[in-house]
Amino acid sequence: MSAVPAPPNAHRWLLPVLVVVVSLMVGGGLLARELYRLPDQQPDAILALPTSTARPPDQQPGPGTVELTPDAAAHPQHDAISQLLQTYFDSINNRDYDQWKTTVTRARIQAKSRAEWLKDYQSVKDGSILVYRIDTITAQDLRVLVGFTSVQDAASAPAELPGAACVQWKLSLPVTIEQGHWRVDSVAGYTTPEVARC
């Protein structure tokens, strides 16, 4: 019994179908490779982590200079925010309440008297300060993700880590425009700082 020959047009669809199938296989393979391969580089924020954990205890908390990751430095307000935070941390390290008042909102000033502020920061020294991200919320509101190391008397340790003389912090600071200047606002209840012992 002889085979019935296929109509002449039957093979016309075969080539386009093969092209589509091969294209899908190649695209799927490339996608899978990207999803499952090990990254060649770590994210910028991880590369720029403060090195306070590698410092001996007598060299904590590290330098008091505010640094920015490439991601934070790409934000249009990075210069203003860097200067604001430098003054903010300098005021804490120098126990200068009047200078601190120039960096925060009226609400924060009203919530913290000079006596309370001096008591809270009497033994605190901050360093290894790194701004990870600056996010625009509105034209007048930013969120600044910052990490830093803080040393203090063990008796003045934060409630989250009682007795800790050296603490690594990571928190989202709200920054807002008040009277034409960027100011650090009160940290809202929706955000919880990350804290760890050095």
Side-chain angles (χ1 to χ4, degrees):
M1 182 173 178
S2 61
V4 178
N9 293 336
H11 293 104
R12 281 191 182 172
W13 59 268
L14 188 57
L15 184 58
V17 168
L18 282 174
V19 169
V20 169
V21 169
V22 170
S23 298
L24 289 173
M25 289 174 62
V26 170
L30 291 173
L31 179 61
R33 185 183 73 174
E34 290 301 311
L35 289 174
Y36 293 107
R37 74 183 176 113
L38 292 173
D40 294 330
Q41 294 182 336
Q42 297 295 322
D44 291 330
I46 294 174
L47 285 176
L49 279 172
T51 56
S52 60
T53 52
R55 295 178 187 281
D58 62 335
Q59 293 181 19
Q60 296 286 12
T65 304
V66 173
E67 297 182 350
L68 287 79
T69 64
D71 182 65
H75 192 277
Q77 295 296 333
H78 75 274
D79 279 334
I81 298 307
S82 178
Q83 183 57 53
L84 170 68
L85 292 182
Q86 189 65 65
T87 305
Y88 177 84
F89 282 104
D90 285 348
S91 70
I92 291 171
N93 289 336
N94 297 325
R95 316 287 183 271
D96 190 335
Y97 180 75
D98 290 326
Q99 184 182 44
W100 177 79
K101 284 170 50 177
T102 69
T103 67
V104 297
T105 59
R106 288 186 301 268
R108 282 198 70 175
I109 295 169
Q110 291 168 357
K112 189 74 72 174
S113 70
R114 181 185 300 270
E116 288 176 306
W117 188 89
L118 288 171
K119 181 183 177 190
D120 287 348
Y121 292 108
Q122 64 184 339
S123 66
V124 172
K125 188 81 169 173
D126 293 330
S128 301
I129 307 155
L130 180 66
V131 177
Y132 292 91
R133 289 184 56 81
I134 303 171
D135 292 318
T136 301
I137 306 304
T138 69
Q140 301 206 354
D141 293 288
L142 305 172
R143 291 291 177 273
V144 180
L145 181 61
V146 61
F148 61 96
T149 298
S150 179
V151 295
Q152 63 278 314
D153 293 339
S156 301
E160 298 91 339
L161 292 175
C166 183
V167 178
Q168 290 182 318
W169 294 84
K170 192 172 184 184
L171 66 155
S172 178
L173 285 178
V175 176
T176 189
I177 290 183
E178 191 173 87
Q179 295 182 330
H181 300 282
W182 291 108
R183 297 287 183 257
V184 179
D185 204 357
S186 300
V187 177
Y190 64 82
T191 181
T192 304
E194 294 179 27
V195 292
R197 294 176 191 270
C198 299

